[in-house]
Amino acid sequence: MEPVSELEPLISSFDLAAGYLDWARFGPLSPAVRAELHADAELLGTGRAAGTEMVAARVEEARELVAQLLGLPTDEVVLQPSTTHGLAQAMFGLEGTVIVPARDFPSVRVTAHRAADARGVLTVREIDPADGIVTAEAVADALDDSVTAVALSLVDFRTGALADLAALRDAVGDRLLIIDAIQAFGVVDPDWTLADVITGNGYKWLRAGRGTGFARFSPAARARIAPVLSGISGMVGDASVLGIPSARDGAAAYSVAPSDPLAAARLATSVREILDAGVADVAAEVGARAADVIALADRYDIPVITPRDAHAGIIALAPRDPSALAAALANHGVTVTARGTTVRVSAHVGTGADTLRLLGDAFADAATSGRVVAAEYGRDSVEADLPAIITIDLPDDDPAQLADAVFEEVAHAKIEEPEVAHAEFAESEVAHAELDEAEVEHAVIDEADEHDRAGDERRDEIVITVVDEI
């Protein structure tokens, strides 16, 4: 009997219907998270001190588990309502100049600008490297003596590019390195100690639901970032203390109000699932599933803009016809994120063969849409290297109906790897059909070539082959 992989319990816990490939937007809650939420909610419903205290203890448990996954001391971790709350704590307490990518998620760049406008002690410098993908070289080129911090997402939400954390650390030097880890936490396994501030959330890849944010503040970060937004849970003493109490030691200073224990319970449960499976193994499996998506995209000639050697679970596609691909995905029950001219596909460890099969079917449908056809009348045989053949009835009464008949048949056909680059219409009735030049741009009308007809008997069928996109 083969040994069971540590990943198997995690993989088997993915109980949603096939077709979900939108983990970078939202992770449907895991069965363990749902069960823990219901159990703790029942305890809070008793009104008994023992129950409420038991649930309240989940806050400290969640901090400890997040710190364990990050490989950091617990006192450097504080829970937050969201990733953006953690970034706000960092940005509003920062002075000097912070470098941010111009095309990063608003949580990074907008929060930096809000902090700069509010306090007047921070300047924001935006960089816009090629394709919006941040590299250590791009950051190094923007550095000068005024820069005190660099902030960016470790995994870019648009392209899925995974930044090189070690190279960034080397480029930044002793300046603060602030990382938005929401698209990386739990599915990427870097050396997290290299970042001074790490903010994240469990509602995507961890399947813990919203409200499960956290932040890490290193000793260097705490020395340079004032706890401007510190509230009652971030101060020394309790509500009876008068005046303006000092901030607490450690990352706890960067807290506004007591954490939601139900959110903490969900976060703790989800992080424990990742730890039990092994974050390195999870990261490898997520990368493998993303590679499966790339392979399918390559099969159907859909351009991939995600770096093939530096990605996590997000694969961004730039189809020639985004609306056609989005429609095909929807028709096959595949859930993704479509923004403008790109389609973002995000796979997880539980993305199975059935989901990838649906994705491939959708890609195949999108590949045939918008293609023109070649029709040759009366062929007894076809060349062996033709990629696909469809035989349909030729309209008897009105040859002008040919174009509509051809396009209707091809639209319903399952044709793969179209290669034929031209069309020939040999029979006079076909040649005189009113074909739309915008749709049949490559058609070559040749009325003289009738020698392939079988004797004098008219054949009521034509042979269709697919040609390249126009």
Side-chain angles (χ1 to χ4, degrees):
M1 180 176 179
E2 294 184 2
V4 177
S5 165
E6 295 293 338
L7 274 175
E8 286 305 319
L10 180 63
I11 292 173
S12 64
S13 72
F14 283 70
D15 59 349
L16 66 165
Y20 194 82
L21 286 166
D22 209 9
W23 298 96
R25 179 184 64 84
F26 176 75
L29 273 61
S30 72
V33 165
R34 300 196 301 264
E36 200 67 33
L37 173 61
H38 290 308
D40 284 353
E42 288 300 319
L43 286 174
L44 291 182
T46 66
R48 296 180 182 139
T52 57
E53 290 171 3
M54 185 179 297
V55 178
R58 303 308 295 274
V59 173
E60 186 63 19
E61 179 189 359
R63 289 181 61 227
E64 292 173 354
L65 289 169
V66 169
Q68 183 179 342
L69 196 151
L70 293 172
L72 295 163
T74 301
D75 68 352
E76 295 184 11
V77 174
V78 58
L79 300 190
Q80 300 285 344
S82 72
T83 306
T84 306
H85 280 79
L87 287 168
Q89 289 281 358
M91 297 297 188
F92 276 79
L94 195 62
E95 297 183 9
T97 299
V98 60
I99 291 175
V100 300
R103 289 186 253 181
D104 210 326
F105 196 72
S107 291
V108 175
R109 53 187 175 79
V110 172
T111 302
H113 282 286
R114 294 280 191 263
D117 294 343
R119 295 189 66 212
V121 296
L122 181 67
T123 300
V124 181
R125 179 177 301 167
E126 294 191 353
I127 60 173
D128 193 10
D131 299 321
I133 297 176
V134 179
T135 62
E137 292 75 18
V139 170
D141 290 343
L143 295 175
D144 59 28
D145 291 342
S146 70
V147 176
T148 55
V150 173
L152 72 155
S153 295
L154 188 61
V155 175
D156 179 29
F157 83 106
R158 299 174 309 103
T159 65
L162 172 62
D164 187 335
L165 188 55
L168 286 169
R169 178 75 270 172
D170 289 342
V172 169
D174 62 358
R175 302 169 179 87
L176 295 182
L177 181 55
I178 301 170
I179 294 296
D180 180 337
I182 192 168
Q183 297 291 10
F185 185 68
V187 292
V188 175
D189 190 30
D191 181 358
W192 291 111
T193 65
L194 297 174
D196 297 291
V197 177
I198 304 166
T199 64
N201 204 313
Y203 82 90
K204 294 179 183 285
W205 301 97
L206 266 65
R207 307 184 291 162
R210 286 190 176 272
T212 54
F214 64 88
R216 179 265 176 142
F217 290 86
S218 71
R222 300 199 299 272
R224 304 183 213 176
I225 297 175
V228 174
L229 302 180
S230 180
I232 184 173
S233 59
M235 73 182 198
V236 175
D238 57 27
S240 65
V241 177
L242 300 180
I244 308 299
S246 59
R248 294 173 61 186
D249 292 333
Y254 305 95
S255 174
V256 175
S259 299
D260 176 3
L262 290 178
R266 288 184 276 117
L267 179 60
T269 302
S270 64
V271 172
R272 193 182 297 281
E273 286 188 293
I274 298 296
L275 288 170
D276 288 345
V279 67
D281 289 340
V282 170
E285 189 72 11
V286 168
R289 297 292 74 73
D292 290 338
V293 173
I294 292 176
L296 284 171
D298 289 344
R299 180 185 301 175
Y300 295 101
D301 197 27
I302 301 174
V304 176
I305 61 177
T306 302
R308 293 166 184 259
D309 59 347
H311 64 79
I314 295 174
I315 300 301
L317 310 175
R320 296 176 181 84
D321 188 345
S323 60
L325 179 57
L329 290 165
N331 289 339
H332 284 271
V334 179
T335 303
V336 298
T337 291
R339 286 192 179 101
T341 59
T342 63
V343 173
R344 187 181 70 182
V345 181
S346 46
H348 210 322
V349 296
T351 298
D354 49 356
T355 292
L356 292 173
R357 190 176 302 110
L358 290 174
L359 181 67
D361 289 345
F363 283 176
D365 279 1
T368 60
S369 68
R371 293 183 183 274
V372 296
V373 296
E376 297 188 56
Y377 175 81
R379 292 278 296 274
D380 285 328
S381 63
V382 296
E383 292 83 2
D385 62 349
L386 288 179
I389 305 299
I390 312 168
T391 300
I392 66 173
D393 290 337
L394 182 69
D396 291 327
D397 299 328
D398 185 1
Q401 295 177 8
L402 173 66
D404 290 338
V406 167
F407 293 129
E408 181 178 355
E409 291 292 329
V410 172
H412 292 94
K414 301 295 183 182
I415 302 174
E416 299 182 23
E417 300 179 1
E419 296 173 356
V420 180
H422 71 280
E424 294 181 0
F425 296 83
E427 182 65 32
S428 59
E429 293 98 325
V430 177
H432 293 132
E434 296 178 2
L435 301 175
D436 185 341
E437 292 182 0
E439 293 179 323
V440 194
E441 184 174 293
H442 299 294
V444 177
I445 308 300
D446 184 359
E447 296 184 41
D449 185 11
E450 300 183 7
H451 64 273
D452 279 341
R453 293 189 62 183
D456 294 327
E457 182 179 355
R458 173 190 168 99
R459 295 181 59 190
D460 293 328
E461 63 182 23
I462 57 175
V463 177
I464 311 299
T465 59
V466 176
V467 304
D468 290 342
E469 279 189 343
I470 61 175

